Amino acid sequence: MSSIAAYYAGKNVLITGATGFMGKVLVEKLLRSCPGVKAIYILVRPKAGQSMQARVTDMMKCKLFDRVREDFQKKIIPIGSELMHPNLAINPEDTERLLSCINVVFHCAATVRFDEPLKHALQLNVVATQQLLMLARRMQKLEAFIHISTAYANCNRNHVEEIVYPPPVEPKKLIDSLEWMDDSMIQDITPKLIGDRPNTYTYTKALAEYVVQQESGDLNIAIIRPSIVGASWQEPFPAGKGILRTMRATNDAVADLIPVDVVVNLTLAAGWYTATHRPKAALIYNCTTGGVNPFHWGEIEYHVISTFKRNPLDQAFRRPNANITSNYLINQYWITVSHKAPALVYDLYLRLTGQKPRMMKIFNRLHKSMMLLEYFSSKSWQWSSDNMNMLMSQLSLEDKRCFNFDVRQLHWPEYIENYCIGTKKYVLNEDMSGLPAARQHLKKLRNIRFAFNTILLVVLWRVFIARSQMARHIWYFVVSLCYKFLSYFRASSTLRY
């Protein structure tokens, strides 16, 4: 039997961020691969008019939980909570319940928006972590506290070791200072505060790591630093529909994607190791692929586009294609030609047919997202992975099979194709039986493009030759040459027969 699965048997686990992308996968993996787990407590807040229970019900309907739906109903215990409130807004009865029974905490909750206002990011990523640590220190049976950070918390360094670096500022001083500042003042000082980090997300995640290290007391803790997790499931959507045509990136820069199941397997293995071996100091695990199995942005472009040409999405806006360039001016040119111009034409068509224009709004949102990603798609980092390798060496053969996080085995072209097809089937809910119609639609788009380009070329040339005598001479020479060639070809064909 798996040592990891055996450890979690009979245990009560607390997970924050369980309704998020990684949190859901962690819950499902625990239920499926650790069937002996006693209960999984999840902190849930009401959101967008939905009650806590309604959110859990929606979560349970997700296809991800098809194999564990019965266990989900039996073992998932939602706890009402709000990370922005004092004591996480957990009521006294639930607090006592958690203090008396929780064995392992997985802290996955965070705001992952790159452009989050600093005060809000600080509250969710740092203050909420402090509050959870205060609760965890009072838990009577706690054996391990696992904090999910990001590999980009220290992206201002080219080489990132598996250590907690000194924070850019003392977290408590920053929290106290922001309390009395208004939003406009905070916005003005944010660029100076974050310094050489690209956004408030990476800045506050670095502060959170320091808080975990300094305020954990006698807890057995570990920090997991995954690289790009969630984005790897969402990026094929705009490219596959033919909406995303250009992005600014360096072709030979490493795209440090990490499959979510790898992160979850490492997280559960780290929980087991931390609880059973009780390391003297907190272990940090850089969960990345670039150092051992690198994959580059230029390769992603090729494999995503070729996959969506073979398996097109229904009703694509344009044929899948993309131009990856590190040059700002070239990127702006392609944005104008391949994004804005077609969007304006399409929106004009929608207006003329009495429909609401929408393409420019879609492109504006897309450009904003792409600008936020430019920092990460234009650079490469080196991450140490000694702790990850050490943990792998501690696993039995059965553990390595059930909780595999050896990224050296990852075959990137197959992985990219699988998540593109997965996006089509499970995110966009498109039936694979519709592929012949989608391919026909793609052929139609290709013919429209060729016809449009030909007409545009003829129109431009006619405008040009109307203004230039030399151009007219060249045009007449080419036309007469073509005419003579056709006449010769027709005459030789007649003589042959």
Side-chain angles (χ1 to χ4, degrees):
M1 184 180 178
S2 160
S3 300
I4 296 174
Y7 166 73
Y8 286 105
K11 295 292 191 294
N12 291 297
V13 176
L14 173 65
I15 299 177
T16 70
T19 56
F21 171 58
M22 182 180 161
K24 285 179 184 175
V25 180
L26 178 59
V27 168
E28 192 275 342
K29 178 68 176 181
L30 257 175
L31 291 173
R32 177 167 50 84
S33 297
C34 305
V37 66
K38 187 175 181 181
I40 301 174
Y41 293 80
I42 60 175
L43 298 189
V44 185
R45 67 182 176 93
K47 183 181 179 182
Q50 269 192 318
S51 66
M52 174 190 72
Q53 197 56 53
R55 290 191 70 193
V56 175
T57 302
D58 281 353
M59 177 182 170
M60 186 175 65
K61 291 176 183 175
C62 180
K63 290 180 181 179
L64 176 68
F65 297 106
D66 281 353
R67 288 185 285 180
V68 295
R69 189 151 284 118
E70 190 176 333
D71 283 336
F72 189 104
Q73 292 175 309
K74 290 178 183 176
K75 296 183 178 182
I76 300 299
I77 303 172
I79 301 290
S81 175
E82 175 53 75
L83 298 183
M84 297 283 285
H85 292 184
N87 300 316
L88 307 178
I90 303 173
N91 68 48
E93 293 79 10
D94 286 337
T95 299
E96 287 303 317
R97 190 178 185 185
L98 296 175
L99 293 179
S100 64
C101 75
I102 294 299
N103 305 111
V104 182
V105 173
F106 293 109
H107 181 34
C108 306
T111 174
V112 295
R113 285 181 55 190
F114 289 169
D115 57 348
E116 194 79 76
L118 179 59
K119 192 170 185 177
H120 196 252
L122 193 72
Q123 183 70 40
L124 284 169
N125 292 346
V126 182
V127 177
T129 301
Q130 283 182 320
Q131 299 269 339
L132 187 63
L133 282 166
M134 286 171 59
L135 182 69
R137 289 200 302 268
R138 295 164 56 203
M139 290 176 178
Q140 299 155 21
K141 299 179 180 178
L142 189 65
E143 299 173 9
F145 183 103
I146 311 300
H147 173 72
I148 309 300
S149 182
T150 171
Y152 298 104
N154 302 286
C155 59
N156 56 329
R157 299 172 179 271
N158 292 324
H159 186 91
V160 182
E161 301 283 352
E162 291 175 307
I163 61 173
V164 175
Y165 289 94
V169 65
E170 181 65 37
K172 188 178 186 308
K173 289 181 181 178
L174 181 61
I175 293 164
D176 292 342
S177 299
L178 296 189
E179 279 299 316
W180 58 267
M181 293 185 191
D182 60 32
D183 292 344
S184 62
M185 190 181 295
I186 296 171
Q187 189 174 351
D188 289 341
I189 66 169
T190 294
K192 192 166 185 179
L193 281 172
I194 66 176
D196 53 359
R197 285 182 172 82
N199 50 52
T200 57
Y201 170 67
T202 56
Y203 179 74
T204 53
K205 291 300 276 184
L207 295 179
E209 286 191 359
Y210 183 74
V211 164
V212 170
Q213 184 192 55
Q214 295 297 309
E215 301 187 19
S216 56
D218 296 329
L219 300 178
N220 301 314
I221 63 170
I223 296 174
I224 313 294
R225 288 178 179 159
S227 48
I228 302 171
V229 185
S232 66
W233 289 85
Q234 297 164 359
E235 283 167 359
F237 166 62
K241 284 287 187 183
I243 293 175
L244 177 63
R245 313 284 291 184
T246 182
M247 69 175 286
R248 195 174 175 202
T250 302
N251 276 282
D252 57 358
V254 174
D256 211 298
L257 305 178
I258 190 81
V260 66
D261 53 335
V262 170
V263 184
V264 165
N265 287 341
L266 173 64
T267 300
L268 290 172
W272 158 76
Y273 185 84
T274 304
T276 55
H277 290 73
R278 300 177 180 271
K280 292 180 180 179
L283 291 181
I284 291 86
Y285 300 90
N286 287 336
C287 186
T288 61
T289 56
V292 291
N293 190 0
F295 196 54
H296 303 90
W297 288 104
E299 293 175 280
I300 287 183
E301 172 198 15
Y302 170 77
H303 289 294
V304 170
I305 298 305
S306 61
T307 297
F308 278 126
K309 282 182 178 177
R310 292 194 306 273
N311 305 280
L313 300 180
D314 297 347
Q315 297 304 310
F317 176 63
R318 296 177 69 189
R319 292 183 77 245
N321 195 21
N323 296 288
I324 289 183
T325 176
S326 58
N327 186 285
Y328 174 79
L329 292 176
I330 293 174
N331 185 54
Q332 289 302 307
Y333 166 78
W334 283 116
I335 285 174
T336 303
V337 171
S338 294
H339 285 182
K340 292 183 177 179
L344 287 170
V345 171
Y346 190 70
D347 278 352
L348 178 62
Y349 164 76
L350 291 176
R351 286 180 192 276
L352 293 173
T353 55
Q355 300 177 66
K356 188 178 179 181
R358 63 177 188 273
M359 287 311 298
M360 275 305 294
K361 189 179 287 187
I362 291 173
F363 275 119
N364 287 336
R365 285 206 307 266
L366 184 62
H367 292 157
K368 187 179 179 182
S369 299
M370 291 296 103
M371 283 175 65
L372 293 171
L373 286 172
E374 278 180 12
Y375 180 89
F376 304 97
S377 59
S378 301
K379 297 180 67 175
S380 297
W381 287 266
Q382 292 180 318
W383 283 282
S384 298
S385 54
D386 294 342
N387 289 338
M388 196 169 170
N389 294 333
M390 177 279 296
L391 182 57
M392 202 182 306
S393 71
Q394 297 291 314
L395 302 187
S396 66
L397 288 176
E398 183 63 17
D399 285 329
K400 287 178 180 176
R401 187 184 68 81
C402 293
F403 300 91
N404 181 28
F405 52 87
D406 186 357
V407 294
R408 293 170 298 185
Q409 301 171 12
L410 185 61
H411 184 243
W412 284 113
E414 181 184 358
Y415 173 72
I416 295 294
E417 181 168 357
N418 285 341
Y419 85 60
C420 288
I421 293 173
T423 299
K424 177 178 173 68
K425 289 169 66 176
Y426 301 115
V427 178
L428 302 177
N429 295 315
E430 294 184 2
D431 198 325
M432 295 300 284
S433 63
L435 272 179
R439 287 173 182 145
Q440 280 299 115
H441 179 68
L442 216 58
K443 284 183 182 177
K444 191 189 298 182
L445 291 175
R446 182 193 62 189
N447 294 338
I448 290 171
R449 187 191 67 171
F450 286 157
F452 176 80
N453 289 346
T454 302
I455 293 168
L456 183 64
L457 184 64
V458 169
V459 169
L460 288 174
W461 180 249
R462 291 296 296 171
V463 170
F464 181 64
I465 67 170
R467 294 171 178 244
S468 168
Q469 188 174 1
M470 182 181 291
R472 281 199 299 273
H473 287 320
I474 294 171
W475 172 254
Y476 293 141
F477 174 74
V478 170
V479 170
S480 63
L481 198 65
C482 290
Y483 177 76
K484 287 177 181 176
F485 175 77
L486 288 172
S487 299
Y488 173 77
F489 181 76
R490 194 183 306 155
S492 61
S493 298
T494 305
L495 288 174
R496 192 180 303 161
Y497 295 104

